[in-house]
Amino acid sequence: MRNMKRNFFAALILVLFFAFADLSSSANGQTRKGPAALTRSTEVQQALYTEYKGVRLGVTAEEARAKLGTPALKGSDQDYYVFSDKETAEIVYDAAGKVVTLSVDYLGGVGAPDYKTVVGGEPEQASDGTFYKIVRYPSQGFWVSYNRSAGPVAMVTITIQKMAEKGK
């Protein structure tokens, strides 16, 4: 359990690293080569992937728990679920107790939806076999990312996250 949570956070840090690397290169007007190039995003009108097991951004913690069941780790700001040895999820809540992030890990990719149904199109692939794609929906106030790690046991992480409101 502790290793799964550590792996989850490592994947989340990787997603955030790529997202921030993309923002910094965009702000400078630069085009980067290498891993940071994996963050190219596409703005699409209609989101393909907006929920996980019936839980969407903005629902209350009580509504999320009613759909997902009892979390393995429960908190006022986040819950951690273990559905199997291959599937875990972290649900993050804001101060009002509403879902702002849904992040799901699929160990070995087992049970993960196809990336085309999550982010559409082809993700950028690194030479080590890792691939990643983020799609931002500014008009809807969230982004979705799909990340598959490389290695002997790949992990697929799908994250849906509310965008920070401007000025906050």
Side-chain angles (χ1 to χ4, degrees), residues 18-41:
F18 283 130
F20 285 116
D22 182 46
L23 291 175
S24 66
S25 65
S26 297
N28 296 331
Q30 299 173 347
T31 302
R32 293 184 154 181
K33 301 281 184 196
L38 295 176
T39 62
R40 284 190 208 136
S41 65

Coordinates of all heavy atoms in Angstrom, one line a residue, residues 18-41:
F18 N 6.0 18.1 -16.1 CA 5.8 18.3 -17.5 C 4.8 19.5 -17.8 O 5.0 20.2 -18.7 CB 5.2 17.0 -18.2 CG 6.3 16.0 -18.5 CD1 6.1 14.7 -18.1 CD2 7.5 16.3 -19.1 CE1 7.1 13.7 -18.3 CE2 8.5 15.4 -19.3 CZ 8.3 14.1 -18.9
A19 N 3.8 19.6 -17.0 CA 2.8 20.7 -17.2 C 3.5 22.0 -16.9 O 3.3 22.9 -17.7 CB 1.6 20.5 -16.2
F20 N 4.3 22.1 -15.9 CA 5.0 23.4 -15.6 C 6.1 23.7 -16.6 O 6.3 24.8 -16.9 CB 5.5 23.4 -14.2 CG 4.4 23.7 -13.2 CD1 4.1 22.7 -12.2 CD2 3.6 24.8 -13.2 CE1 3.1 22.9 -11.3 CE2 2.6 25.0 -12.3 CZ 2.3 24.0 -11.3
A21 N 6.7 22.6 -17.1 CA 7.8 22.8 -18.1 C 7.2 23.4 -19.3 O 7.7 24.3 -20.0 CB 8.5 21.5 -18.4
D22 N 6.0 22.9 -19.7 CA 5.3 23.4 -20.9 C 4.9 24.9 -20.7 O 5.0 25.7 -21.6 CB 4.0 22.6 -21.1 CG 3.2 23.0 -22.4 OD1 3.9 23.2 -23.4 OD2 2.0 23.2 -22.3
L23 N 4.4 25.2 -19.5 CA 4.0 26.6 -19.3 C 5.2 27.5 -19.4 O 5.1 28.6 -19.9 CB 3.3 26.7 -17.9 CG 2.0 26.1 -17.8 CD1 1.5 26.2 -16.3 CD2 1.0 26.7 -18.7
S24 N 6.3 27.1 -18.8 CA 7.5 28.0 -18.9 C 8.0 28.2 -20.3 O 8.4 29.2 -20.7 CB 8.6 27.5 -17.9 OG 9.1 26.3 -18.3
S25 N 8.0 27.1 -21.1 CA 8.5 27.2 -22.4 C 7.5 28.0 -23.3 O 8.0 28.8 -24.1 CB 8.8 25.9 -23.1 OG 7.6 25.1 -23.2
S26 N 6.2 27.9 -23.0 CA 5.3 28.7 -23.8 C 5.4 30.2 -23.4 O 5.3 31.0 -24.3 CB 3.8 28.2 -23.4 OG 3.7 26.9 -23.9
A27 N 5.6 30.5 -22.2 CA 5.7 31.9 -21.7 C 6.9 32.5 -22.4 O 6.9 33.7 -22.7 CB 5.8 31.9 -20.2
N28 N 8.0 31.8 -22.6 CA 9.2 32.3 -23.2 C 9.2 32.3 -24.7 O 10.1 32.8 -25.3 CB 10.4 31.6 -22.7 CG 10.7 31.7 -21.2 OD1 10.3 32.7 -20.6 ND2 11.2 30.7 -20.6
G29 N 8.1 31.7 -25.3 CA 8.0 31.6 -26.7 C 9.0 30.6 -27.3 O 9.3 30.7 -28.5
Q30 N 9.5 29.7 -26.5 CA 10.5 28.8 -27.0 C 9.9 27.5 -27.3 O 8.8 27.1 -26.8 CB 11.5 28.5 -25.9 CG 12.3 29.7 -25.4 CD 13.2 29.4 -24.2 OE1 13.0 28.4 -23.6 NE2 14.1 30.3 -23.9
T31 N 10.5 26.8 -28.3 CA 10.1 25.4 -28.6 C 11.2 24.5 -28.0 O 12.4 24.7 -28.4 CB 10.0 25.2 -30.1 OG1 9.0 26.1 -30.6 CG2 9.5 23.8 -30.4
R32 N 10.9 23.6 -27.2 CA 11.9 22.7 -26.6 C 11.9 21.4 -27.2 O 10.9 20.9 -27.7 CB 11.5 22.5 -25.1 CG 11.7 23.8 -24.3 CD 11.5 23.5 -22.9 NE 12.1 24.4 -22.1 CZ 12.1 24.4 -20.8 NH1 11.5 23.5 -20.1 NH2 12.8 25.3 -20.1
K33 N 13.0 20.7 -27.2 CA 13.2 19.4 -27.6 C 13.4 18.5 -26.4 O 13.7 19.0 -25.3 CB 14.5 19.2 -28.4 CG 14.5 20.1 -29.7 CD 13.7 19.5 -30.7 CE 13.8 20.4 -32.0 NZ 12.8 20.1 -32.9
G34 N 13.1 17.2 -26.5 CA 13.3 16.3 -25.3 C 12.0 16.2 -24.5 O 10.9 16.5 -25.0
P35 N 12.1 15.8 -23.2 CA 10.9 15.5 -22.4 C 9.9 16.6 -22.3 O 8.8 16.4 -22.3 CB 11.5 15.1 -21.1 CG 12.9 14.6 -21.4 CD 13.4 15.4 -22.5
A36 N 10.4 17.8 -22.2 CA 9.5 19.0 -22.1 C 8.6 19.1 -23.3 O 7.5 19.6 -23.2 CB 10.2 20.3 -21.8
A37 N 9.1 18.6 -24.5 CA 8.3 18.7 -25.7 C 7.0 17.8 -25.6 O 6.1 17.9 -26.3 CB 9.1 18.3 -26.9
L38 N 7.1 16.8 -24.7 CA 5.9 15.9 -24.5 C 4.7 16.6 -23.9 O 3.6 16.0 -23.9 CB 6.3 14.8 -23.5 CG 7.4 13.9 -24.0 CD1 7.7 12.8 -22.9 CD2 7.0 13.2 -25.3
T39 N 4.8 17.8 -23.6 CA 3.7 18.5 -22.9 C 2.9 19.3 -23.9 O 1.9 20.0 -23.5 CB 4.2 19.5 -21.8 OG1 5.0 20.5 -22.4 CG2 4.9 18.7 -20.8
R40 N 3.2 19.3 -25.2 CA 2.3 20.0 -26.1 C 0.9 19.7 -25.9 O 0.5 18.5 -25.7 CB 2.7 19.7 -27.6 CG 4.0 20.3 -28.0 CD 4.2 20.1 -29.5 NE 5.6 20.1 -29.7 CZ 6.2 19.3 -30.5 NH1 5.6 18.3 -31.1 NH2 7.5 19.3 -30.7
S41 N 0.1 20.7 -25.9 CA -1.3 20.4 -25.6 C -2.2 20.9 -26.8 O -1.8 21.7 -27.6 CB -1.8 21.1 -24.3 OG -1.7 22.5 -24.5

